Amino acid sequence: MIEPAGEPQSAGGAPETSSPRHTIELRGVSKRYRGTEALAPLDLEIRDGEFFCLLGPSGCGKTTTLNLIGGFVEATSGEIVIQGENVTNVPPHQRNVNTVFQSYALFPHLTVRDNVAFGLKMSRVPARESEVRTRDALELVRLTDYADYYPAQLSGGQQQRVAVARALVNRPAVLLLDEPLGALDLKLRKQLQVELARIHRDVGTTFVFVTHDQEEAMAMADRIAVMNSGRIEQVGTPEEIYARPSSRFVADFVGESNFFEVERRGDGTVVTAGGSPVPCSMGASSDWSRATLMVRPEAIRFAAHKGEHLCLEGEVLQSSFLGSFTRVAIACADTQAPVLATLPYGKRHRQELRVESTVSFTWDPEDAVVLDLQQA
Amino acid sequence: MTSSAGQAEAVVRGAGAIRARPRAVLTSRLGEYAGFGPVLLLFGGFFFAPLVLIIAYSFWQVIDYNVVQNWTLDNYRYFLSVPTYVRTFIATLWMTALATVLTIGIAFPFAYWLTRYVSRSWQRPLLLLVIIPFWTSYLLRVASWITILGEGGVVNRTLEALGLIHQPLSFLLYNRWAVIFVLVYLYFPFAALTLFSALERFDWNQLKAAMDLGAPPLTAIWRIMLPQIRPGVITAVIFVFIPILGEYLTPQLVGGVDGVMIGNLVVNFFVGAQYTRGAAIALLITAIAVAMLILFRRSLVLEQVYGR
């Protein structure tokens, strides 16, 4: 197996301390391309051995961030520190970082074995050691039998694994992965997500993974940085990001969400634009008057009877049975977009969810996330 | 590797089966091939027949300005026995080699720059600029260098006007270096276009990947890019080397006494009605060109080696 990079002390399974060592630190790093800001000055710390995900729509700066760490793009300002060493001005071939490219960029004129051994050859690793490490790397990605094949003779998934082996064989401090599963079909992608997570566990190297697919990020990452127009909106574990999104963008980008524009009245009740009172845990705090409430579809529950306290009413637009859950879209006077609700399979509902029937629904106060707080 | 070779075999066998036809159809074959007539006539009459004639000539003799069919190796022996001819032959080889290296050496960075750093919308106009000289006759393109490099030419006049020289520089023209210089100018577009189309298909991420794996930029170009564009580079070498080998107009116009190439000898012999000796030299040139094609044959089909 490939040894994890870095100091051995972190590899011994020592319990995580309150301030884990950072493999990568970005301090005020920004990037401008001919006057346009691709990346606003950003601070980011990526911990030793974690699977870190940069998530965001195209053009949000996630690939720029990856290229900055890899050294393919020069920072306009700020500094990049990898394993305590300032590498801001170090060219890519001298950084202890390796990349799995979106297109894999395998060398078509070299066999799988020579592709994997290329990095070792470049760093002049002795032939005998190179042979052993190459074999181990191919074993890690389960491609031992394909060592003498050329990349063109492999399937997309196999090529992707060669790219992972080719990068990891160099024992980098950090493995950068630039949407490595983007070109694969859904089923294979799910398979390789599991595979990548296993490889990460096996080698313990820090992984920085770029994707626009929130599901992929949630499935694999220890922590996620959600990016939008050159800024990091939120950094946190998948659970934190899903349960407590810090902005409307994050809530919208990660998972499905319902938004309610609300106002806080003097008596502490929170009401929608249409004047209906709704459940909200922040009603007691008096430092705001306007906000957006975000409620996940699975937090929406249907009221026991019409006219229940703190309920909204609406007309069922569509009800789709999707196997493990049923998805209901409700036209509601208090929101612009239809309210989405998901109901797990097998759970009984007191109201009939026929299309065009009127339903009343609500949520628990702690399930409503308050965003964009504004003073009067 | 083995499984794909097996597959390839199966494909070949399959194709063979399709090609085999019932006997009845064979009678109409002649009709099918009629379409090749004009091509066969053209190639047979204007390429194959003259080639055979030249080969035959090189083993015959000229007696009293008449070609006589006496089979002999005298023409080759004569050529090798005259030191000046042998020297010209050797000079031609190194001039051609040097001109080829220089042409590729200038065209490669140009093509690299054009494909990598120039936006798509500017690539075509710039390539057009490379091709524009072809709108002028070949003879004029060579001759124009005389007005640029000659004693009363642009370069000398400018330097004199600037007061940098008082006598025109005479080494600019009528020597081997002038020939090589003009040849590089003449053949640059061939190399640039060929290399451009090779580089256009190159995946630049490959260089990025090589550098990511620790290769310094030049190593990445040498070990990752060049092997992949080798067919293009070799095509460029062939496109440049072979025509230069047979050049006679450029040395004639800008070479002076010193810049003579083997092509000039061929012309001289034919003009002097020594057809058989001229034929022998022409065949020597052809032999070198053929030898080079054989040498590069494997590299040209490299793409098949890794099955793209």
Side-chain angles (χ1 to χ4, degrees):
Chain A
M1 286 295 104
I2 293 176
E3 297 297 318
E7 315 301 292
Q9 81 227 17
S10 61
E16 205 171 270
T17 54
S18 56
S19 62
R21 238 174 56 111
H22 294 138
T23 304
I24 304 175
E25 283 172 59
L26 304 182
R27 299 180 191 141
V29 173
S30 74
K31 180 65 193 173
R32 288 178 157 275
Y33 291 107
R34 288 182 192 156
T36 30
E37 191 172 66
L39 204 63
L42 109 105
D43 293 294
L44 182 64
E45 278 150 8
I46 297 173
R47 295 173 193 154
D48 225 9
E50 83 177 329
F51 198 130
F52 193 88
C53 203
L54 293 165
L55 172 68
S58 64
C60 71
K62 58 189 193 296
T63 301
T64 303
T65 309
L66 198 77
N67 280 330
L68 281 163
I69 300 171
F72 299 112
V73 161
E74 246 175 88
T76 309
S77 73
E79 53 184 34
I80 300 160
V81 178
I82 297 175
Q83 285 190 320
E85 189 196 344
N86 186 340
V87 296
T88 316
N89 299 313
V90 175
H93 64 274
Q94 286 164 11
R95 288 191 189 191
N96 190 14
V97 164
N98 287 111
T99 310
V100 174
F101 294 91
Q102 187 169 16
S103 57
Y104 317 141
L106 298 179
F107 306 134
H109 61 296
L110 300 179
T111 60
V112 167
R113 179 184 288 115
D114 290 342
N115 261 281
V116 174
F118 185 81
L120 300 176
K121 201 175 240 174
M122 287 302 110
S123 49
R124 301 208 167 77
V125 171
R128 182 175 284 271
E129 188 193 337
S130 162
E131 213 173 282
V132 173
R133 278 167 70 173
T134 303
R135 201 174 50 225
D136 287 351
L138 286 173
E139 213 167 275
L140 178 74
V141 298
R142 301 184 174 149
L143 282 175
T144 311
D145 296 340
Y146 294 88
D148 294 317
Y149 281 55
Y150 285 91
Q153 295 169 316
L154 303 182
S155 70
Q158 289 168 332
Q159 290 183 19
Q160 202 269 332
R161 275 144 64 199
V162 175
V164 171
R166 185 178 70 171
L168 279 177
V169 77
N170 307 293
R171 296 177 186 161
V174 185
L175 181 71
L176 306 177
L177 301 109
D178 184 8
E179 307 225 12
L181 308 178
L184 305 171
D185 61 59
L186 189 66
K187 203 173 162 199
L188 194 55
R189 204 148 72 198
K190 300 255 181 211
Q191 232 172 300
L192 281 164
Q193 284 173 12
V194 176
E195 187 75 4
L196 270 179
R198 176 192 60 84
I199 291 170
H200 176 250
R201 274 196 311 276
D202 280 0
V203 298
T205 305
T206 310
F207 278 33
V208 180
F209 190 100
V210 159
T211 183
H212 63 270
D213 182 342
Q214 48 107 0
E215 226 177 283
E216 199 166 275
M218 303 286 269
M220 291 188 288
D222 294 321
R223 287 197 306 152
I224 298 173
V226 182
M227 297 187 71
N228 180 32
S229 30
R231 272 162 227 282
I232 290 183
E233 296 257 343
Q234 189 176 2
V235 181
T237 64
E239 293 82 358
E240 281 165 8
I241 287 186
Y242 188 79
R244 297 281 140 197
S246 65
S247 70
R248 189 171 174 143
F249 175 83
V250 175
D252 208 20
F253 195 77
V254 178
E256 285 183 316
S257 36
N258 299 302
F259 296 107
F260 301 90
E261 304 303 330
V262 294
E263 247 176 73
R264 184 182 158 279
R265 289 200 176 142
D267 60 354
T269 51
V270 175
V271 296
T272 62
S276 325
V278 288
C280 174
S281 58
M282 293 265 291
S285 58
S286 57
D287 54 349
W288 62 283
S289 62
R290 282 172 180 282
T292 304
L293 287 193
M294 191 284 294
V295 183
R296 296 288 185 194
E298 66 273 13
I300 302 274
R301 65 186 166 76
F302 291 91
H305 51 84
K306 279 178 191 166
E308 199 187 284
H309 185 52
L310 298 179
C311 267
L312 293 177
E313 278 208 351
E315 184 187 302
V316 175
L317 283 176
Q318 201 183 15
S319 173
S320 336
F321 174 66
L322 295 169
S324 57
F325 62 91
T326 301
R327 201 179 135 94
V328 187
I330 305 153
C332 175
D334 298 280
T335 59
Q336 288 183 331
V339 174
L340 293 175
T342 51
L343 307 164
Y345 176 70
K347 197 177 163 191
R348 295 226 158 257
H349 309 300
R350 293 190 188 85
Q351 293 178 48
E352 206 178 346
L353 299 173
R354 251 185 316 106
V355 172
E356 290 184 1
S357 62
T358 307
V359 290
S360 52
F361 58 91
T362 187
W363 55 82
D364 292 334
E366 61 272 18
D367 284 335
V369 178
V370 186
L371 301 169
D372 307 332
L373 286 176
Q374 281 168 28
Q375 298 285 352
Chain B
M1 209 53 214
T2 44
S3 76
S4 89
Q7 274 176 357
E9 230 171 75
V11 169
V12 169
R13 257 186 272 121
I18 292 163
R19 232 182 279 130
R21 290 175 191 187
R23 206 161 267 278
V25 186
L26 280 177
T27 49
S28 65
R29 270 277 176 86
L30 217 59
E32 283 177 34
Y33 282 120
F36 287 109
V39 177
L40 286 177
L41 208 68
L42 203 72
F43 268 86
F46 295 99
F47 178 73
F48 191 68
L51 187 66
V52 171
L53 202 64
I54 291 282
I55 293 173
Y57 264 38
S58 77
F59 295 105
W60 290 344
Q61 272 185 314
V62 171
I63 298 173
D64 295 335
Y65 302 105
N66 287 314
V67 177
V68 182
Q69 301 181 13
N70 288 342
W71 293 90
T72 169
L73 284 171
D74 272 358
N75 299 314
Y76 294 97
R77 245 181 251 133
Y78 171 75
F79 175 79
L80 294 173
S81 69
V82 180
T84 322
Y85 295 163
V86 176
R87 270 203 300 279
T88 306
F89 184 64
I90 291 167
T92 304
L93 286 182
W94 72 253
M95 285 168 74
T96 307
L98 184 62
T100 306
V101 168
L102 288 175
T103 308
I104 304 285
I106 296 168
F108 180 78
F110 172 76
Y112 185 101
W113 169 77
L114 195 63
T115 36
R116 185 159 198 194
Y117 297 109
V118 177
S119 71
R120 288 215 152 255
S121 52
W122 277 100
Q123 281 177 1
R124 301 288 150 181
L126 281 169
L127 274 182
L128 191 70
L129 283 181
V130 172
I131 301 166
I132 276 180
F134 286 118
W135 296 355
T136 316
S137 105
Y138 172 80
L139 181 66
L140 279 179
R141 269 183 289 147
V142 180
S144 61
W145 280 102
I146 298 171
T147 64
I148 297 171
L149 300 175
E151 298 217 336
V154 179
V155 173
N156 276 320
R157 284 281 173 79
T158 311
L159 289 175
E160 273 172 63
L162 289 170
L164 293 171
I165 53 169
H166 303 290
Q167 296 281 317
L169 302 173
S170 59
F171 61 84
L172 295 178
L173 266 186
Y174 308 122
N175 56 49
R176 294 204 188 285
W177 302 106
V179 176
I180 290 170
F181 179 82
V182 174
L183 287 175
V184 169
Y185 156 77
L186 285 173
Y187 288 91
F188 170 79
F190 294 100
L193 287 175
T194 315
L195 291 175
F196 174 79
S197 68
L199 282 172
E200 215 185 10
R201 278 171 285 150
F202 180 74
D203 172 16
W204 293 93
N205 276 325
Q206 299 266 326
L207 278 194
K208 216 171 143 183
M211 289 199 267
D212 182 76
L213 292 167
L218 284 178
T219 312
I221 290 177
W222 183 253
R223 302 192 67 139
I224 297 303
M225 176 188 254
L226 275 185
Q228 290 185 51
I229 61 161
R230 192 146 93 196
V233 175
I234 287 180
T235 308
V237 168
I238 289 171
F239 273 10
V240 174
F241 188 92
I242 291 179
I244 290 184
L245 198 60
E247 265 284 342
Y248 84 97
L249 196 66
T250 306
Q252 180 91 8
L253 290 180
V254 301
V257 190
D258 181 37
V260 174
M261 288 175 76
I262 195 99
N264 303 91
L265 292 186
V266 178
V267 174
N268 289 349
F269 279 120
F270 272 89
V271 170
Q274 303 195 44
Y275 308 116
T276 57
R277 284 175 178 170
I281 301 172
L283 270 187
L284 275 176
I285 300 175
T286 313
I288 288 172
V290 170
M292 205 179 84
L293 288 176
I294 290 170
L295 191 75
F296 285 147
R297 188 194 51 199
R298 245 187 66 80
S299 304
L300 274 175
V301 292
L302 186 83
E303 273 164 304
Q304 290 169 10
V305 176
Y306 53 86
R308 256 212 292 199

